Amino acid sequence: MLWRRNLFAPLAALALALTASAGAGTAAAATDTTAVAAASPAASAADDFGSPGPYATAVEVGAITTLYYPRDIADSDRRHPVIVWGNGTGGVPLVYRDLMLHWASQGFVVAAANTPMSNLGISMRASIDMLTGRNADPGSVFFDRVDLEHIGASGHSQGGAAAIVVGSDPRIDTILPIQPGPLANINAVRVPALLLAGQRDSIVFPALVKAFYNAADHIPALYGEVRGADHFTVVGDPGPFAAPTTAWFRAQLMGDRTAGAQFFGPGCGICADTATWSDVRRNSLALNVPAATP
């Protein structure tokens, strides 16, 4: 497909550049399987979802999945919801590392599929299976600390399409496709969806994301078009994508009412934020969701 050919080269080049700049630290993570990221010393403000969360983070690089998670999860007094992630064509989790660590600092276990061709969602589903096993293993740091009752799916470009594909899995509670490619069927999804586009995206045009939104009339669905964003704005420093994606998952997977008010109810935060969004739409089912209900 043309969109795949157009996307592969820049993402692959970026992945190589980021890998080179990571140097010995990345190699150590791959060899030792666990690397500790910088601590986040302070919790973010309740309504500042773009700020780092209260958790120091760790990274575990496996054969199929790279995990980003709260570093002290073994000693946590709670279970942590899961986000499964799909990369864009030719991409690897390292390309999206900043966003993954941001979510982990907010208390999520992020399972990023290592595959550069994620569209079928096979590795994303395998990540849930793997975490299910780790959660049941008394010898694992994840033992009884993973909230498998609250799982979201996200991804970028081809991985965004994969998030829609995986959204038909009964274990998934919400989807957040970012600039999703066209090879998916949202009619099979039965959970709330936030579909994100970039105003200046010339690879996955906003109209393609709107088509998914228009077809999602059977579920609460929102469409958000990030002002000025191109197809690679989310890569590296996720910039304007960090706060709304975090708020969505906090609302859907943690029951955070402040986060929910960003999307639902008459005071819909993203609806009034014209500096960040060039277009926001909520379908009739989303309009009927109260702000206090995730």
Side-chain angles (χ1 to χ4, degrees):
M1 300 292 289
L2 180 60
W3 72 274
R4 292 191 182 204
R5 294 199 299 272
N6 288 344
L7 180 56
F8 179 83
L11 263 184
L14 182 57
L16 288 172
L18 287 174
T19 302
S21 66
T26 301
T31 301
D32 300 334
T33 73
T34 302
V36 177
S40 301
S44 61
D47 59 351
D48 186 7
F49 302 106
S51 294
Y55 295 95
T57 57
V59 181
E60 178 183 316
V61 181
I64 297 175
T65 305
T66 297
L67 295 174
Y68 302 84
Y69 59 95
R71 183 180 64 191
D72 297 325
I73 192 169
D75 299 319
S76 179
D77 60 357
R78 55 170 292 190
R79 293 183 178 89
H80 295 264
V82 176
I83 301 170
V84 292
W85 172 266
N87 307 303
T89 306
V92 293
L94 179 63
V95 171
Y96 306 97
R97 180 177 184 271
D98 288 356
L99 182 59
M100 307 295 101
L101 288 173
H102 181 74
W103 288 342
S105 79
Q106 292 279 342
F108 296 97
V109 176
V110 184
N114 291 337
T115 176
M117 302 295 286
S118 59
N119 209 138
L120 296 178
I122 295 170
S123 295
M124 294 167 72
R125 288 189 174 97
S127 297
I128 301 175
D129 297 337
M130 179 269 291
L131 281 173
T132 300
R134 298 284 291 276
N135 187 61
D137 179 4
S140 169
V141 297
F142 297 98
F143 177 60
D144 199 32
R145 296 298 88 194
V146 183
D147 184 358
L148 295 167
E149 297 301 314
H150 295 94
I151 303 175
S154 187
H156 174 235
S157 197
Q158 184 181 157
I164 297 173
V165 171
V166 173
S168 64
D169 190 306
R171 297 172 293 182
I172 298 295
D173 297 288
T174 188
I175 63 170
L176 198 167
I178 301 172
Q179 297 159 299
L183 301 182
N185 179 11
I186 204 164
N187 292 322
V189 175
R190 293 292 180 268
V191 294
L194 173 61
L195 296 138
L196 298 185
Q199 183 186 24
R200 301 188 186 281
D201 192 339
S202 59
I203 294 176
V204 175
F205 297 106
L208 296 174
V209 186
K210 287 176 187 173
F212 280 125
Y213 166 77
N214 291 333
D217 56 2
H218 59 295
I219 56 175
L222 291 82
Y223 169 82
E225 186 177 289
V226 179
R227 186 176 296 280
D230 63 25
H231 196 67
F232 299 103
T233 298
V234 72
V235 171
D237 179 353
F241 287 91
T245 57
T246 300
W248 179 261
F249 282 129
R250 286 191 64 90
Q252 295 293 316
L253 303 179
M254 293 181 174
D256 186 325
R257 295 186 176 189
T258 301
Q262 291 293 306
F263 308 99
F264 302 112
C268 168
I270 67 169
C271 301
D273 182 6
T274 57
T276 302
W277 305 96
S278 51
D279 192 359
V280 172
R281 305 182 184 196
R282 299 186 292 171
N283 70 8
S284 60
L285 294 176
L287 288 171
N288 288 328
V289 176
T293 303

